[in-house]
Amino acid sequence: MQQFEESVYRLIVETSTNLPGDVRQTIKAARASEDAATRAGLSLSTIGRNIEMAECNVSPICQDTGMPTFVVHTPVGANQLIMKDQIRAAIARATKDGKLRTNSVDSLTGANSGDNLGPGTPVIHFEQWDKPDIDIRLILKGGGCENKNIQYSLPAELEGLGKAGRDLDGIRKCILHAVYQAQGQGCSAGFIGVGIGGDRTTGYELAKQQLFRRVDDVNPHEDLRKLEDYVMDKANRLGIGTMGFGGEVTLLGCKIGVMNRLPASFFVSVAYNCWAYRRQGVLLNAQTGDLKAWLYPEGTEVSMAEEQGAAAAADAQQSERREVRLTMPLTEEQVRDLRVGDIVILSGEMHTGRDALHKHLMDHDSPVDLNGAVIYHCGPVMMKDGDTWQVKAAGPTTSIREEPYQGDILKKFGIRAVIGKGGMGAKTLAALQEHGAVYLNAIGGAAQYYAECFTHVNSVDFMEFGIPEAMWHLQTRDFAAIVTMDAHGNSLHAEVERDSKAKLAQFKDPVFA
Ligand SMILES: O=C(O)C[C@H](O)C(=O)O
Ligand code: SF4
């Protein structure tokens, strides 16, 4: 088993940095079906570029490298204790090498373990099988899309869809609702795994197992195949689109599994995965641990390069869109001039801040002057090279988590713009209007694309919060994001939510009676 740890390390690096071929094909098809000049089309181009950059830089596709979850099949007699130790060692090494973000945090104190090891992390499921080789599959599913998982207990009353009973039609409604409630917050367009039945725990497990299926496979269960096809068609009529910007493509894959349940329970569990659908697998020689084969189509075989024509057409039309170049810090006048739909290109110093910082700033002072500042909801992957820090991956995190604090913090410190993804709620929108500030939506998961905009790490505060939660002060060049909430009470997110809810209601009538 000399090679086992090395093979697992290769699996981790490949999963985090090189999106598999079947996922790439699906994203390419989405890009082709979306008008290249729309917000969704532009986002899909950036996503395509980010996928290529991650492969080329051998760096994380998204800064949130997720909860490492392994499913391992071993021949009878293989030593699972040794495998477990070596998987943990490979995880720690991949973290040290900047291929995984330090993502394991003490739930009570918030202390970051620093190496992705800790109670419950990584997740390793072992199964025995009657084959001679070891099969290891890994999924790196990020926290933002994990937060959009949902479990229904039937019968239920669903917003927009009415009663969902204990039958195929009730299940149909739950799945459509699951896609609707995710909006753009899980970095749509996404993939869903659905588990029908089980108890609350095994139902979710079944849903996650579905995410190990190939995107292009066909469900052997006839009813479920029909349901998968139905969901793919109808969910893509909800108009949520990439990043929740509106558009033709909302769902990239739907895989449904079923298991028995107790007579009293009827759960439908949905696992939502962002477009950064990072899962891979390897077949290993059980004696040596040598890597024999990759289990999913390799990313390298499917180029994300765009057809010349499409990119040029998008560029031409994009020039008609208002692009505003600003240097941070910003003035009230500059931000009041911005409208939903404008593209803002920022240079100067930007500050990261997410959950721990927002909570802290509610009743403490800021270590730096935030007057006119731009706060980026981001927990980057950082590496220290000698004495200097480098930004290795730095896409936005889901902003709605800061909703309870954001409005107050904007006003308290004089912040003029917040960058994140997925949008924020009514309280923040009111504060933007009152105080004079904007919300900018960056493209979720495009961590390599944005990392390139950070030319220097000026300094850092609150390292005690851990790397993702610390406040990084980053010298920035040409960071582009779209105004989706302005200082005039307009919110693209509120608009898309309202429209998609009306569309959801079209699917109220029974289909699988
Ligand atoms: O934790 C992060 O960096 C992002 C997270 O996965 C999110 O989608 O909000
Ligand atoms: S930021 Fe978006 S792409 Fe990255 S893990 Fe979170 S949901 Fe996925």
Side-chain angles (χ1 to χ4, degrees):
M1 287 288 279
Q2 311 87 315
Q3 287 305 313
F4 184 82
E5 184 187 322
E6 178 62 24
S7 296
V8 174
Y9 177 81
R10 283 179 63 190
L11 171 64
I12 297 166
V13 174
E14 178 74 8
T15 310
S16 178
T17 65
N18 201 359
L19 212 56
D22 57 334
V23 177
R24 287 178 177 227
Q25 290 289 11
T26 312
I27 294 174
K28 280 177 81 159
R31 189 176 64 189
S33 63
E34 205 68 84
D35 177 350
T38 57
R39 283 187 282 265
L42 289 168
S43 307
L44 283 165
S45 295
T46 304
I47 285 170
R49 230 173 108 194
N50 185 72
I51 293 168
E52 291 209 311
M53 289 172 81
E55 179 188 352
C56 173
N57 300 343
V58 198
S59 269
I61 296 162
C62 174
Q63 77 289 338
D64 183 359
T65 53
M67 175 64 89
T69 305
F70 294 89
V71 177
V72 189
H73 283 82
T74 63
V76 177
N79 190 331
Q80 298 183 350
L81 294 177
I82 292 179
M83 283 182 231
K84 201 169 172 178
D85 278 349
Q86 297 199 2
I87 289 173
R88 290 167 61 85
I91 283 281
R93 185 175 144 210
T95 311
K96 194 159 154 279
D97 292 349
K99 311 298 180 189
L100 295 176
R101 186 173 72 185
T102 52
N103 245 4
S104 178
V105 169
D106 183 299
S107 286
L108 298 180
T109 64
N112 194 313
S113 74
D115 56 6
N116 270 314
L117 303 179
T121 25
V123 177
I124 310 173
H125 299 289
F126 282 107
E127 293 275 345
Q128 287 194 346
W129 68 354
D130 58 10
K131 297 187 184 160
D133 295 321
I134 299 170
D135 174 309
I136 308 186
R137 296 177 195 234
L138 167 64
I139 186 164
L140 299 172
K141 183 174 185 295
C145 58
E146 183 71 9
N147 290 350
K148 299 319 288 186
N149 289 3
I150 187 164
Q151 189 168 59
Y152 301 89
S153 173
L154 295 179
E157 188 71 32
L158 300 177
E159 199 186 357
L161 292 166
K163 277 200 174 36
R166 293 184 149 199
D167 51 26
L168 208 55
D169 206 61
I171 297 165
R172 170 189 74 86
K173 289 187 177 180
C174 294
I175 302 174
L176 285 179
H177 184 269
V179 177
Y180 159 76
Q181 60 87 42
Q183 290 290 305
Q185 288 167 7
C187 290
S188 65
F191 297 81
I192 52 172
V194 180
I196 304 170
D199 59 18
R200 285 202 184 270
T201 308
T202 58
Y204 262 136
E205 269 170 11
L206 180 63
K208 280 209 174 162
Q209 274 169 27
Q210 302 307 305
L211 295 173
F212 281 107
R213 285 170 53 190
R214 270 182 67 149
V215 183
D216 52 6
D217 75 356
V218 175
N219 199 321
H221 189 302
E222 187 55 14
D223 283 341
L224 299 185
R225 183 190 62 73
K226 283 190 191 148
L227 188 55
E228 288 176 0
D229 290 347
Y230 169 91
V231 171
M232 286 307 293
D233 178 28
K234 300 299 185 282
N236 280 313
R237 297 190 199 185
L238 292 174
I240 295 165
T242 301
M243 290 302 130
F245 289 163
E248 303 300 316
V249 187
T250 296
L251 192 64
L252 297 170
C254 171
K255 303 292 170 190
I256 308 173
V258 64
M259 58 171 33
N260 283 9
R261 58 181 172 80
L262 295 171
S265 308
F266 197 130
F267 297 113
V268 177
S269 312
V270 182
Y272 188 95
N273 207 109
C274 48
W275 67 260
Y277 180 16
R278 291 156 287 174
R279 58 110 175 80
Q280 213 5 310
V282 283
L283 203 65
L284 304 185
N285 178 309
Q287 270 70 50
T288 62
D290 275 312
L291 202 158
K292 292 175 72 172
W294 292 96
L295 295 172
Y296 295 91
E298 285 177 77
T300 315
E301 285 158 21
V302 182
S303 157
M304 292 305 291
E306 236 167 323
E307 277 177 34
Q308 289 291 318
D315 279 353
Q317 294 194 38
Q318 195 190 345
S319 56
E320 289 165 24
R321 198 180 283 278
R322 194 162 83 123
E323 247 184 43
V324 186
R325 292 188 164 269
L326 295 172
T327 303
M328 301 171 280
L330 310 179
T331 67
E332 180 174 356
E333 201 189 349
Q334 283 172 325
V335 298
R336 286 213 186 264
D337 181 49
L338 297 170
R339 302 275 161 174
V340 164
D342 289 345
I343 294 178
V344 177
I345 301 173
L346 295 165
S347 297
E349 191 182 53
M350 190 181 284
H351 313 275
T352 68
R354 49 182 289 163
D355 311 72
L357 182 80
H358 280 77
K359 183 168 179 285
H360 180 86
L361 289 182
M362 286 298 277
D363 40 30
H364 294 85
D365 227 348
S366 166
V368 294
D369 181 9
L370 291 177
N371 211 3
V374 177
I375 294 285
Y376 183 24
H377 294 160
C378 170
V381 176
M382 304 293 290
M383 288 271 284
K384 210 164 189 179
D385 187 7
D387 276 347
T388 53
W389 284 101
Q390 281 182 347
V391 183
K392 286 290 177 193
T397 189
T398 319
S399 301
I400 197 71
R401 296 194 309 270
E402 315 317 334
E403 182 66 7
Y405 317 111
Q406 198 69 73
D408 295 330
I409 285 173
L410 284 176
K411 291 190 243 174
K412 177 172 170 188
F413 296 100
I415 293 162
R416 292 288 170 204
V418 178
I419 309 174
K421 57 127 172 150
M424 303 194 72
K427 195 174 163 213
T428 303
L429 188 62
L432 297 178
Q433 191 164 13
E434 184 193 328
H435 160 69
V438 287
Y439 176 82
L440 304 171
N441 205 116
I443 295 157
Q448 291 304 310
Y449 176 80
Y450 291 115
E452 275 213 342
C453 303
F454 300 119
T455 53
H456 184 71
V457 179
N458 294 343
S459 57
V460 56
D461 283 294
F462 302 117
M463 269 303 268
E464 63 274 25
F465 293 166
I467 287 177
E469 299 280 346
M471 186 184 201
W472 297 92
H473 311 294
L474 304 173
Q475 200 57 38
T476 308
R477 189 169 56 215
D478 296 344
F479 186 109
I482 304 176
V483 179
T484 53
M485 295 166 70
D486 63 23
H488 309 281
N490 304 308
S491 165
L492 176 71
H493 307 283
E495 206 179 291
V496 170
E497 186 164 348
R498 203 172 42 241
D499 290 353
S500 57
K501 190 169 174 186
K503 288 180 176 142
L504 183 68
Q506 296 172 6
F507 307 121
K508 206 173 167 148
D509 295 337
V511 176
F512 297 99

